[in-house]
Amino acid sequence: MDALCGSGELGSKFWDSNLSVYTHNPDLTPCFQNSLLAWTPCVYLWATLPCYLLYLRRHHRGYIVISHLSRLKTAVGILLWCVSWADLFYSLHGLVHGRAPAPIFLVTPLVVGVTMLLAALVIQHERLQGVQSSGVLIIFWFLCVVCAIIPFCSKILSAVAKGKIVDPFRFATFCIYFTLALFAFILSCFREKPPLFSPKNVDSNPFPEADTGFFSRLTFWWFTKLAILGHRRPLEERDLWSLNKEDCSEVVVQRLLEAWKKQQKQAAWVAVASGKTVSSEDEELLGGRSRPREPSFLKALLVTFGPGFLVSSCFMLAQDLLSFVNPQLLSVLIRFISNPTAPNWWGFLVAGLMFMCSVMQTLFLHQANRYVFVMGLRLRTGIIGLIYRKALVISNSVRRESTVGEIVNLMSVDAQHFMNLTPFLNLLWSGPLHIILAIYFLWQNLGPSVLAGVAFLVLQIPLNAVVATKMHAFQAKQMKFKDSRIKLMSEILGGIKVLKLYAWEPNFLQQVEGIRQSELRLLRRAAYLHAISVFTWHCTPFLVTLITLGVYVSVDPNNVLDAEKAFVSVSLFNILKNPLNALPNLISGLTQTSVSLKRIQHFLSQDELDSQCVERKTITPGHAVIIENGTFTWAQNLSPTLHSLDIQVPKGALVAMVGPVGCGKSSLVSALLGEMEKLEGKVYVKGSVAYVPQQAWIQNGTLQENVLFGRTLDPSRYQRALEACALLPDLEVLPGRDKTEIGEKGINLSGGQRQRVSLARAVYSDADIFLLDDPLSAVDPHVAKHIFDQVIGPEGVLARKTRVLVTHSLSFLPQMDFIIVLADGQVSEVGTYSVLLQHSDSFANFIHNYAPGKGKEHPEEDSRTGLDNPGDEEVPLTEDTLSNHTDLMDNEPVTNEVQKQLKRQLSAVSSDGEGQGHSLPLKPLGPAEKVVQAAERKANGTLIEEEKVEVGKVKVNVFWDYTKAVGLSITLVICLLYVGQSAAAIGASIWLSAWTNEAMVDGRQNNTSHRLGVYAALGILQGMLVVLSSIMMAVGCARAARLLHQALLHNQMRSPQSFFDTTPSGRILNRFSKDVHVIDGVLRPTILMVLSSFSTCICTLVIIVISTPLFTVVILPLAAFYIFMQRFYVATSRQLKRLESVSRSPIYSHFSETVTGSSVIRAYDCIQDFEAISDAKVDNNLRSAYPSFFSNRWLGVRVEFVGNCVVLFAALFAVIGKSSLSPGMVGLSVSYALQVTFSLNLLIRMLSELESNIVAVERVKEYSKTKTEAPWVIEGSRPPAGWPTQGEVEFRNYSVRYRPGLDLVLKNLSLHVRSGEKVGIVGRTGAGKSSMTLCLFRILEASEGEIRVDGLNIADIGLHDLRSQLTIIPQEPILFSGTLRRNLDPFSNYSEEDLWHALKLSHLHTFVSSQPAGLDFQCSEGGENLSVGQRQLVCLARALLRKSRILILDEATAAVDLETDDLIQATIRTQFETCTVLTIAHRLNTVMDHTRVLVLDKGTVAEFDSPASLIAARGIFYGMARDTGLA
């Protein structure tokens, strides 16, 4: 370098220590100024340019129209080029005229000039690429200004000192250069307008980051606007920004899906390749275990999200390297303090460099975190999207294994584990790098003694490995328990009405608490293990310091522990402490995530429905449906359900499918939809399909949305569909007409209305083929006739379509083109109605037995007049009404919606009929009217209330509630332990400082062993106190988790039915899954981190104040700024967390709903529409999640600035007070200041995290304090043993309403039912029939009046004393997963003989005895592996076991065929002969033999007498009987 500078005019040396270092007025040589300082910005630009140009090429955002700003920037760049080359030409001119300048004066202007020209070109290239603010150029101009400041000052000082300017031309050009560079830097800070066609032009509230300037992005200043808004008022959803396109679910999920499909293809290819190489003999030798390799989900994740991780790793690397600069600067500072003759500017320079280094660390760290957190959110988004898409296409055998609760857990908990791990991922390489660098610098400082500390560190690895393995095992077990608990809770919510009617809550409460106990046991063990981890990471840095320093002073008496060695070592050990601190979180995160990875990978690798099972493109001309030799099963491990089917359905035909319960009618429909597994044969279905399942699947949305089902609105077609399906009268009574919101599972519609909405959906779809699975069973005869005439029949709107109708309604059969009769999974007969009657086979015999008025003689006449004569409706009435019934094989799992009323049969309710004959206006539907009328509180017909979002600060009583749950004494002990720990830490530090200042005698320290012993004692005491506090915290938090879950569970079990009717199951399940998970596993480590970082901050401040008392001057302003930022931030962060929490529930509710209706979604080919809906709900959640994460980054930069100021002032005051401070005190003060930044940031983040996570306690407490039912048992008012002995029921002036403020549904009801009477209860829809049963069980409480049973007022006794003594066979048969024995007798009150006797009487004996497990036959979730008819028989068996004096039948035989119905009616007559029986009847033939019949009309007693007397009186009952052909 001297060769470039030393010769010629104005030559100088490159470096002169006397001029630059050892002086009170430092300066740099002209050579240094003109070479290194001038070249630095140029080298930077040329080095970064290739990568930057490549980046711009891949991220083209559209061009920006040239503006005044762009012109000005370019002009300044060109002027700088001109100025530089003016210098160059001046030097050349001198050379020509014999004044040879030093070569540097030719090289530098040339290099700088070319670089400035390049910068001007880059400005224009960026404009064409749509760059609004260039970070690369801002840094370039900044470097130009910084590198020009020193020469600028030097030239001015030199001119002042000499009294003249030595080289006026170069002085002038440099001043112009400096001014232009400064101007260019200022201009570069302003951003350009958005590019043409950018998203900002169409989005009203775009994500601001992309359009902000470089410094704004660097410091997250763009977030400030939202922070101010959040501080002024609670944020709302409308305040949130839209997502960037690359963060949207649609984009993220698609990328991950492509990577996953690639992995699946590779795995399939490997399986095929290995299949060729492994012979059958080898396979036999290997034990037949050659399972195909599952595709790697981890690889798919790495391919998709790896690049974002690499960017964050680059920033993290820069931060890691900078973190080792400050200990070296501390070493220089201590040497400066120790040297009385050192110039003062050394100290100020070191303080300034420390501050600059800390600021750079902050900026790099938060940019790294920004990328890593965005990657975490995208990870979660991608995983949720993949699980949702997979759940829509899993096969039925997989569907039986994976319940909705388990899959929701994959979405909520497992996906979250991935996101929680991402912040710690960089530690995988950053941790080892920290350790290697720290050891290197420690070796420089302390020599080989550092190996003792390293050996101790190595010994920690096996201990941590053991702890990690144990925690992994606990985690896996805990997830299994969590799954079981959520699955059971899901079932409880689905069957809550049945639990209440049977008084079975205690049994299920006990089951949940049993699982919870196991879960908590594991939780406690994991917490104790965590305490060991806490001990190791808290004590390891100290013990390493202790051992290293101990060995250092022990091995050689001449080794003196001075301030530099001690505190530089402490600083390095503190750096070492950070990766070790995070190690438990990394281990815990890795163990949790590896479990989650396996679970998700296993689920995604499961079998899917075979899309090629049904051939949809080719078919024999003239046909719509063909099955050739078809054999189908529900799962490969089950025997076939349908055998050897050969069916052909001509295009446009109307075909009926009939047969007894369990013959496979619904299965055949499912086979046509491709829902079953095809073992052999071929299925052809040509054209689009519309499907109406037995149990209508209704979405939570408006009635119109349910009918349109994602299609665009065609008003005339929509009107026709509503009219044909008899829905227009219903719209008149719905509060928002067709805009009325329908609750989850259609709870505010009756069963018949739900079925007609489902049918209207099919009609509106205008498909080619209609598969109608018994849609007429859920409606009254008049409505059934209307629907058949207007929709299904030869004159209906679907007349020219192909219709396959499953039905039991014999009266409609004559109008069919032909009939398929099924028996035992095979086609027994096919033909027209008249042909089948002439065959004299089972069908003809069945018709003769159950339709005596019809015979072979007049089949044609019958087919012609089958629907004209009301008398002909006698038979359909015996079968069709508000039943929910499914006809499946005995062993057949149901896969349509049918089955899955599973998650929650929300209705308290749909048990009233449909009977809106055209003579009567339709009333709000009895059981559902509670919700319909409740809906009137909102004019637009909204039913489900928006989930409440708390606003403002988390109330102090939430913290108080949690503190009480932990235990006041435990909390106090924890606080005292942390005070003790802080005192021990301060004592140890001050002791070390005193040790380093100890006077030396003969070049050595004499009290080494004493000093070392006290230091060790204080450090170990600190570690023991930390472990104790961690163990106490584990005990307290486990106690809190138990108590809070217990309170939530007990309250939910005691909540009234109305609560479940208006609260989506997803919302309740979210409390039991996500919020309980937070209370179990997140709050404890968060509280530990808050206490730990708080104690560190306090220790640091105390030590700095003791060391440099002058520091107290800046404590107040810094503390004020810190508290202000904390308050400012927490208001915004808290509300964002709440919004995120509330927007999470709809994701799971929609998912639950989707899985339940998956077969309908597939049938209508709406999979993509539902994926888009799910993506939209996830995106809505992300709109609050992204700002929530950026708020942490925004805060981190500002809070760490406070920490950096602490470093600056600690160093500055040490320099200022140099004369009065010992090196030991300065070392102590600054080494602690260096770690305060991390602690201050951690404290505020953890406080915010605590406040955000304590919201889980708030949400759980909210549902732990909802209004409950009356007590289950009232000890002072229990009924006598054996009550009721007579079975008398009396209503006295009884009135009831569904909710305060609504109309009465039963008005002044007074009637007396005598002991042993059989009373039928009939009435039109909305008359209040089902309300009476709800009142008897006190599901509804009286508004006035009373009900007496055997003279005892039922309102005076506990609910369980009442409900356990009444028996009901409900309309909707709900079973729970577990054994059949548990479903019949959960309390084990009955003997084996009693159970078998009940099964025999309920006609289930044959089926159960044929099962290998017998009474221990496993019922799947919701009883899916039994047909609905069989489930109804199980409910009958329950009633036979109880055999109480009062029996209520709510359409108990709706879901069984006519023959079984007769048998059941006979059983009820004989077995309940002495009991009082109340039968709610939609079919009058079931009550014609009753003692008396009660006719209700508009909630009042209209008629009450024997059937014969009522018919003779020719009143309402007579009219109903006449309509059904019974009079």
Side-chain angles (χ1 to χ4, degrees), residues 984-1214:
I986 292 169
S989 301
I990 291 174
W991 184 262
L992 181 63
S993 173
W995 182 2
T996 60
N997 290 330
E998 191 177 83
M1000 287 182 289
V1001 181
D1002 299 330
R1004 56 180 73 178
Q1005 293 168 323
N1006 292 328
N1007 294 327
T1008 304
S1009 54
H1010 169 65
R1011 290 285 187 186
L1012 196 63
V1014 174
Y1015 184 60
L1018 286 169
I1020 291 166
L1021 172 65
Q1022 183 190 353
M1024 294 306 295
L1025 292 173
V1026 167
V1027 171
L1028 275 173
S1029 59
S1030 188
I1031 289 170
M1032 292 303 289
M1033 183 64 78
V1035 170
C1037 289
R1039 180 176 183 268
R1042 178 177 60 81
L1043 293 175
L1044 289 169
H1045 178 271
Q1046 193 177 55
L1048 175 67
L1049 179 65
H1050 281 249
N1051 187 275
Q1052 288 301 297
M1053 285 297 205
R1054 288 171 168 79
S1055 292
Q1057 184 65 38
S1058 57
F1059 172 79
F1060 298 100
D1061 292 345
T1062 54
T1063 309
S1065 57
R1067 203 178 284 177
I1068 302 171
L1069 270 181
N1070 207 2
R1071 261 70 176 180
F1072 280 99
S1073 59
K1074 179 68 183 173
D1075 293 318
V1076 167
H1077 168 70
V1078 168
I1079 290 167
D1080 285 355
V1082 179
L1083 276 180
R1084 180 179 51 80
T1086 306
I1087 293 168
L1088 277 173
M1089 292 297 266
V1090 165
L1091 291 170
S1092 173
S1093 49
F1094 180 72
S1095 64
T1096 306
C1097 290
I1098 294 299
C1099 290
T1100 305
L1101 291 175
V1102 168
I1103 284 167
I1104 294 175
V1105 168
I1106 290 170
S1107 311
T1108 47
L1110 193 58
F1111 186 77
T1112 48
V1113 175
V1114 294
I1115 276 187
L1116 280 175
L1118 285 177
F1121 179 73
Y1122 182 76
I1123 291 164
F1124 171 71
M1125 291 312 300
Q1126 195 261 351
R1127 289 273 159 237
F1128 205 76
Y1129 156 80
V1130 164
T1132 305
S1133 169
R1134 179 180 54 226
Q1135 200 59 18
L1136 284 170
K1137 191 81 175 178
R1138 280 173 172 157
L1139 286 169
E1140 193 272 333
S1141 199
V1142 167
S1143 63
R1144 201 188 308 120
S1145 294
I1147 297 172
Y1148 309 134
S1149 288
H1150 173 71
F1151 176 68
S1152 236
E1153 192 174 68
T1154 302
V1155 176
T1156 311
S1158 55
S1159 55
V1160 176
I1161 294 165
R1162 287 191 291 266
Y1164 283 97
D1165 198 20
C1166 288
I1167 287 179
Q1168 287 184 334
D1169 295 345
F1170 275 78
E1171 286 171 356
I1173 293 168
S1174 174
D1175 287 350
K1177 289 184 185 297
V1178 173
D1179 284 349
N1180 191 45
N1181 176 249
L1182 290 175
R1183 283 180 63 218
S1184 46
Y1186 271 100
S1188 182
F1189 280 118
F1190 280 117
S1191 67
N1192 285 340
R1193 308 281 69 75
W1194 177 87
L1195 170 82
V1197 170
R1198 280 141 192 80
V1199 166
E1200 287 189 23
F1201 178 73
V1202 174
N1204 298 336
C1205 288
V1206 171
V1207 173
L1208 174 67
F1209 289 121
L1212 271 179
F1213 295 146

Side-chain angles (χ1 to χ4, degrees), residues 52 63 66 76 119 180 274 286 365 438 593 797 810 845 855 884 981 983 989 1105 1230 1244 1284 1287 1323 1401 1477 1487:
Y52 185 51
Y63 71 92
I66 195 161
V76 170
L180 287 171
S274 61
L286 292 166
L365 174 66
T593 310
V797 292
L810 307 188
N845 294 334
N884 294 318
Q981 175 214 327
S989 301
V1105 168
V1230 178
I1244 204 166
L1401 292 170
V1477 179
V1487 297

Side-chain angles (χ1 to χ4, degrees), residues 317-336:
L317 178 64
Q319 191 270 340
D320 286 349
L321 295 175
L322 280 170
S323 65
F324 286 94
V325 174
N326 272 336
Q328 306 311 311
L329 291 172
L330 174 63
S331 174
V332 175
L333 184 66
I334 293 172
R335 283 206 296 273
F336 163 76

Side-chain angles (χ1 to χ4, degrees), residues 165 204 467 566 847 894 897 935 973 997 1099 1199 1249 1273 1283 1357 1466 1527:
I165 296 168
S204 59
V467 171
I847 292 291
V894 186
E897 305 29 76
V973 169
N997 290 330
C1099 290
V1199 166
E1249 196 72 16
V1273 174
W1283 175 90
I1357 61 173

Side-chain angles (χ1 to χ4, degrees), residues 330-332 334-335 445 562-569 1223:
L330 174 63
S331 174
V332 175
I334 293 172
R335 283 206 296 273
N445 204 29
D562 59 15
E564 186 185 343
K565 281 189 170 58
F567 290 107
V568 170
S569 300

